Amino acid sequence: MAASEKTLTINNCTTSEGWTVVLPRRSRQRRKATKSRVLEEKQEPWTPSDSLTDPSKEATLVQKMERCINKIDKSEFYHTFRDQIQTSVADYINRVFASEIKMQMVIYGIGSIELYEPPRLQLSLAILLRRDFSWIGNVEVFDPILSATESQVLETLGCSVMSINEHGRREALKPTMFFMPHCEAELYNNLLQANWKLNLLKNMVLFGNSFETYEQHVSLCKNSPILSSVGHILAARGFTNEFRIQTVSDDYYNAFHDSSWHIFSPILESELQFINS
């Protein structure tokens, strides 16, 4: 997202990941610039590596977030983004609700909102969505690099920070929006694998990296390093309704380029049988 950049393009067959997602991993001594790797592990308890919050840093970060929320709220980008939901995506989202009136939001892989603007922009967008669309319910957030101070700020902003590292394997037992801009392919794959059933996939709305772009990349780059991480992503393309967003301004390119809404509508069990989940 910010620390360093690499772009997955259909002409670049050597990059293992794209979408400008390299982020710092947090430690007390040093923050290493890397996005948290997704491991196929069981759920495990999690707490921030630093146990104490810093009131001064907390106040500063709250102010940064408020400025960021206001910036997006007044932008052409957000007005275009919101209009797209209302005119193109809403009908598909409504099909996910069934008898429910609220859809919970789960945010995976948000990154360091203290260090970098792209994660702040992404979180601000999620907060504005909750404000403007009454059907969005509780918001849960997780990234293993979050600090105690960042976790407290997230709570202040009305989000709940998970105490379990789910490795992206949350089952959508009820209508759920997974808000995951610029996460690693493994995380999307984990999420799909955990929900590889008709009744679960139909409960999901996913905002994240374009599945179409993954497919284009893999079709031209037969030896791409991401091949082992996109099996369920590619298999889902046949029953995925994808809506690409417009970044409109360069101010929002790093945080949101190549992002899409994905709503899944498998009809037959046979659509899920050609991949071993």
Side-chain angles (χ1 to χ4, degrees):
M1 290 178 187
S4 65
E5 296 183 2
K6 50 184 179 179
T7 302
L8 176 66
T9 67
I10 59 176
N11 295 319
N12 179 0
C13 296
T14 59
T15 302
S16 63
E17 198 64 47
W19 285 279
T20 318
V21 294
V22 180
L23 285 177
R25 186 181 298 276
R26 184 183 298 274
S27 66
R28 290 185 181 181
Q29 291 79 22
R30 184 179 175 218
R31 294 175 177 178
K32 183 180 178 181
T34 178
K35 185 73 172 180
S36 52
R37 291 293 300 173
V38 182
L39 304 175
E40 291 194 7
E41 298 176 356
K42 296 180 179 179
Q43 296 184 1
E44 55 193 8
W46 173 87
T47 56
S49 58
D50 54 339
S51 58
L52 298 177
T53 61
D54 184 323
S56 176
K57 287 185 178 180
E58 183 180 333
T60 298
L61 184 52
V62 168
Q63 292 175 355
K64 285 184 178 180
M65 281 303 309
E66 289 174 345
R67 288 195 297 269
C68 208
I69 292 169
N70 290 333
K71 175 183 176 180
I72 288 193
D73 191 21
K74 298 174 182 177
S75 69
E76 181 184 357
F77 162 75
Y78 182 61
H79 292 167
T80 301
F81 184 87
R82 187 176 56 196
D83 288 347
Q84 183 191 34
I85 295 175
Q86 294 170 331
T87 59
S88 302
V89 187
D91 286 346
Y92 289 87
I93 291 178
N94 287 337
R95 300 174 192 176
V96 177
F97 278 104
S99 60
E100 301 286 336
I101 60 173
K102 290 282 189 179
M103 179 180 294
Q104 64 179 343
M105 180 188 287
V106 175
I107 303 177
Y108 285 135
I110 193 63
S112 173
I113 60 172
E114 182 178 0
L115 288 182
Y116 297 110
E117 185 179 45
R120 290 195 293 271
L121 290 170
Q122 292 165 356
L123 179 61
S124 296
L125 181 62
I127 290 171
L128 288 170
L129 287 176
R130 181 186 59 187
R131 184 198 70 182
D132 290 345
F133 293 95
S134 60
W135 44 264
I136 295 179
N138 296 331
V139 178
E140 296 181 78
V141 183
F142 184 78
D143 193 306
I145 71 171
L146 290 172
S147 68
T149 296
E150 288 171 321
S151 297
Q152 184 57 53
V153 169
L154 284 164
E155 297 281 351
T156 299
L157 294 171
C159 305
S160 298
V161 178
M162 302 179 202
S163 59
I164 299 292
N165 186 349
E166 300 176 334
H167 297 285
R169 298 182 182 278
R170 168 80 64 96
E171 289 189 345
L173 300 176
K174 57 184 178 180
T176 305
M177 177 189 294
F178 292 94
F179 188 88
M180 302 169 59
H182 294 182
C183 287
E184 290 190 350
E186 291 96 330
L187 201 59
Y188 301 115
N189 214 59
N190 281 0
L191 180 65
L192 290 172
Q193 186 180 46
N195 289 279
W196 205 246
K197 298 178 182 178
L198 289 178
N199 62 313
L200 298 180
L201 286 167
K202 290 180 179 180
N203 281 339
M204 292 172 55
V205 174
L206 171 63
F207 179 71
N209 294 349
S210 166
F211 285 11
E212 181 182 18
T213 299
Y214 279 124
E215 185 178 54
Q216 291 173 345
H217 174 77
V218 169
S219 68
L220 293 179
C221 306
K222 304 301 183 182
N223 297 317
S224 172
I226 71 167
L227 276 173
S228 61
S229 306
V230 296
H232 285 80
I233 293 172
L234 300 182
R237 283 282 293 142
F239 52 79
T240 300
N241 300 290
E242 178 171 338
F243 302 88
R244 285 180 177 266
I245 70 163
Q246 300 178 38
T247 52
V248 179
S249 166
D250 289 344
D251 290 345
Y252 303 101
Y253 181 82
N254 283 344
F256 300 110
H257 71 87
D258 287 308
S259 294
S260 294
W261 289 103
H262 305 81
I263 296 94
F264 308 99
S265 54
I267 298 174
L268 303 173
E269 287 286 352
S270 58
E271 295 179 84
L272 310 180
Q273 291 175 356
F274 61 92
I275 184 168
N276 181 13
S277 60

mmCIF file of all heavy atoms in Angstrom, residues 171-187:
data_model
loop_
_atom_site.group_PDB
_atom_site.id
_atom_site.type_symbol
_atom_site.label_atom_id
_atom_site.label_comp_id
_atom_site.label_asym_id
_atom_site.label_seq_id
_atom_site.Cartn_x
_atom_site.Cartn_y
_atom_site.Cartn_z
ATOM 1 N N GLU A 171 -16.471 -18.198 8.128
ATOM 2 C CA GLU A 171 -17.617 -18.723 7.390
ATOM 3 C C GLU A 171 -18.746 -17.692 7.417
ATOM 4 O O GLU A 171 -19.080 -17.157 8.472
ATOM 5 C CB GLU A 171 -18.104 -20.038 7.985
ATOM 6 C CG GLU A 171 -17.157 -21.201 7.736
ATOM 7 C CD GLU A 171 -17.773 -22.526 8.149
ATOM 8 O OE1 GLU A 171 -18.792 -22.518 8.877
ATOM 9 O OE2 GLU A 171 -17.249 -23.570 7.751
ATOM 10 N N ALA A 172 -19.312 -17.429 6.255
ATOM 11 C CA ALA A 172 -20.399 -16.452 6.140
ATOM 12 C C ALA A 172 -21.720 -17.148 6.463
ATOM 13 O O ALA A 172 -22.519 -17.460 5.584
ATOM 14 C CB ALA A 172 -20.422 -15.858 4.741
ATOM 15 N N LEU A 173 -21.959 -17.356 7.741
ATOM 16 C CA LEU A 173 -23.179 -18.028 8.180
ATOM 17 C C LEU A 173 -24.389 -17.111 8.074
ATOM 18 O O LEU A 173 -25.532 -17.568 8.132
ATOM 19 C CB LEU A 173 -23.010 -18.527 9.618
ATOM 20 C CG LEU A 173 -21.865 -19.528 9.835
ATOM 21 C CD1 LEU A 173 -21.731 -19.864 11.308
ATOM 22 C CD2 LEU A 173 -22.095 -20.788 9.006
ATOM 23 N N LYS A 174 -24.124 -15.821 7.930
ATOM 24 C CA LYS A 174 -25.167 -14.828 7.705
ATOM 25 C C LYS A 174 -24.601 -13.795 6.736
ATOM 26 O O LYS A 174 -23.387 -13.785 6.477
ATOM 27 C CB LYS A 174 -25.586 -14.176 9.022
ATOM 28 C CG LYS A 174 -24.449 -13.506 9.797
ATOM 29 C CD LYS A 174 -24.939 -12.977 11.126
ATOM 30 C CE LYS A 174 -23.791 -12.350 11.920
ATOM 31 N NZ LYS A 174 -24.268 -11.818 13.225
ATOM 32 N N PRO A 175 -25.431 -12.920 6.168
ATOM 33 C CA PRO A 175 -24.929 -11.953 5.195
ATOM 34 C C PRO A 175 -23.737 -11.153 5.734
ATOM 35 O O PRO A 175 -23.822 -10.547 6.805
ATOM 36 C CB PRO A 175 -26.142 -11.049 4.940
ATOM 37 C CG PRO A 175 -27.309 -11.944 5.164
ATOM 38 C CD PRO A 175 -26.906 -12.833 6.311
ATOM 39 N N THR A 176 -22.645 -11.193 4.992
ATOM 40 C CA THR A 176 -21.398 -10.577 5.452
ATOM 41 C C THR A 176 -20.692 -9.880 4.301
ATOM 42 O O THR A 176 -20.525 -10.444 3.227
ATOM 43 C CB THR A 176 -20.443 -11.644 6.041
ATOM 44 O OG1 THR A 176 -21.116 -12.379 7.070
ATOM 45 C CG2 THR A 176 -19.200 -10.985 6.621
ATOM 46 N N MET A 177 -20.293 -8.635 4.545
ATOM 47 C CA MET A 177 -19.436 -7.915 3.608
ATOM 48 C C MET A 177 -17.999 -8.049 4.074
ATOM 49 O O MET A 177 -17.654 -7.636 5.177
ATOM 50 C CB MET A 177 -19.808 -6.435 3.531
ATOM 51 C CG MET A 177 -18.892 -5.626 2.607
ATOM 52 S SD MET A 177 -19.182 -3.840 2.717
ATOM 53 C CE MET A 177 -20.851 -3.748 2.044
ATOM 54 N N PHE A 178 -17.170 -8.626 3.232
ATOM 55 C CA PHE A 178 -15.741 -8.725 3.519
ATOM 56 C C PHE A 178 -15.052 -7.577 2.794
ATOM 57 O O PHE A 178 -15.027 -7.523 1.562
ATOM 58 C CB PHE A 178 -15.192 -10.080 3.076
ATOM 59 C CG PHE A 178 -15.715 -11.232 3.880
ATOM 60 C CD1 PHE A 178 -16.827 -11.950 3.455
ATOM 61 C CD2 PHE A 178 -15.115 -11.583 5.079
ATOM 62 C CE1 PHE A 178 -17.325 -13.008 4.208
ATOM 63 C CE2 PHE A 178 -15.605 -12.631 5.843
ATOM 64 C CZ PHE A 178 -16.709 -13.355 5.407
ATOM 65 N N PHE A 179 -14.512 -6.659 3.570
ATOM 66 C CA PHE A 179 -13.883 -5.451 3.048
ATOM 67 C C PHE A 179 -12.378 -5.680 3.082
ATOM 68 O O PHE A 179 -11.757 -5.646 4.148
ATOM 69 C CB PHE A 179 -14.287 -4.251 3.905
ATOM 70 C CG PHE A 179 -13.849 -2.911 3.357
ATOM 71 C CD1 PHE A 179 -14.655 -2.221 2.457
ATOM 72 C CD2 PHE A 179 -12.655 -2.337 3.747
ATOM 73 C CE1 PHE A 179 -14.264 -0.978 1.958
ATOM 74 C CE2 PHE A 179 -12.254 -1.102 3.264
ATOM 75 C CZ PHE A 179 -13.068 -0.421 2.363
ATOM 76 N N MET A 180 -11.776 -5.952 1.906
ATOM 77 C CA MET A 180 -10.393 -6.436 1.869
ATOM 78 C C MET A 180 -9.601 -5.810 0.719
ATOM 79 O O MET A 180 -9.000 -6.517 -0.084
ATOM 80 C CB MET A 180 -10.400 -7.957 1.725
ATOM 81 C CG MET A 180 -11.139 -8.705 2.807
ATOM 82 S SD MET A 180 -11.405 -10.461 2.437
ATOM 83 C CE MET A 180 -9.723 -11.055 2.234
ATOM 84 N N PRO A 181 -9.541 -4.487 0.624
ATOM 85 C CA PRO A 181 -8.772 -3.898 -0.477
ATOM 86 C C PRO A 181 -7.284 -4.210 -0.360
ATOM 87 O O PRO A 181 -6.684 -4.071 0.698
ATOM 88 C CB PRO A 181 -9.049 -2.396 -0.344
ATOM 89 C CG PRO A 181 -9.461 -2.204 1.079
ATOM 90 C CD PRO A 181 -10.158 -3.464 1.478
ATOM 91 N N HIS A 182 -6.709 -4.676 -1.452
ATOM 92 C CA HIS A 182 -5.271 -4.890 -1.593
ATOM 93 C C HIS A 182 -4.695 -5.882 -0.590
ATOM 94 O O HIS A 182 -3.600 -5.687 -0.057
ATOM 95 C CB HIS A 182 -4.519 -3.557 -1.527
ATOM 96 C CG HIS A 182 -4.822 -2.656 -2.673
ATOM 97 N ND1 HIS A 182 -4.228 -1.430 -2.834
ATOM 98 C CD2 HIS A 182 -5.676 -2.789 -3.722
ATOM 99 C CE1 HIS A 182 -4.704 -0.844 -3.938
ATOM 100 N NE2 HIS A 182 -5.590 -1.655 -4.488
ATOM 101 N N CYS A 183 -5.437 -6.936 -0.315
ATOM 102 C CA CYS A 183 -4.882 -8.040 0.472
ATOM 103 C C CYS A 183 -4.137 -8.983 -0.465
ATOM 104 O O CYS A 183 -4.186 -8.860 -1.686
ATOM 105 C CB CYS A 183 -6.007 -8.798 1.191
ATOM 106 S SG CYS A 183 -6.721 -7.888 2.576
ATOM 107 N N GLU A 184 -3.441 -9.953 0.115
ATOM 108 C CA GLU A 184 -2.734 -10.944 -0.687
ATOM 109 C C GLU A 184 -3.711 -11.960 -1.259
ATOM 110 O O GLU A 184 -4.779 -12.216 -0.698
ATOM 111 C CB GLU A 184 -1.675 -11.646 0.149
ATOM 112 C CG GLU A 184 -0.506 -10.753 0.511
ATOM 113 C CD GLU A 184 0.652 -11.534 1.125
ATOM 114 O OE1 GLU A 184 0.454 -12.727 1.425
ATOM 115 O OE2 GLU A 184 1.717 -10.946 1.294
ATOM 116 N N ALA A 185 -3.330 -12.564 -2.374
ATOM 117 C CA ALA A 185 -4.183 -13.554 -3.027
ATOM 118 C C ALA A 185 -4.536 -14.692 -2.078
ATOM 119 O O ALA A 185 -5.660 -15.203 -2.088
ATOM 120 C CB ALA A 185 -3.486 -14.099 -4.275
ATOM 121 N N GLU A 186 -3.581 -15.096 -1.238
ATOM 122 C CA GLU A 186 -3.842 -16.206 -0.321
ATOM 123 C C GLU A 186 -5.018 -15.927 0.604
ATOM 124 O O GLU A 186 -5.760 -16.845 0.966
ATOM 125 C CB GLU A 186 -2.594 -16.502 0.538
ATOM 126 C CG GLU A 186 -1.435 -17.094 -0.225
ATOM 127 C CD GLU A 186 -0.440 -16.032 -0.648
ATOM 128 O OE1 GLU A 186 -0.842 -14.868 -0.874
ATOM 129 O OE2 GLU A 186 0.758 -16.373 -0.768
ATOM 130 N N LEU A 187 -5.188 -14.675 0.990
ATOM 131 C CA LEU A 187 -6.256 -14.346 1.927
ATOM 132 C C LEU A 187 -7.623 -14.473 1.249
ATOM 133 O O LEU A 187 -8.569 -14.999 1.843
ATOM 134 C CB LEU A 187 -6.053 -12.935 2.480
ATOM 135 C CG LEU A 187 -6.750 -12.624 3.807
ATOM 136 C CD1 LEU A 187 -6.298 -13.562 4.901
ATOM 137 C CD2 LEU A 187 -6.497 -11.183 4.225
#
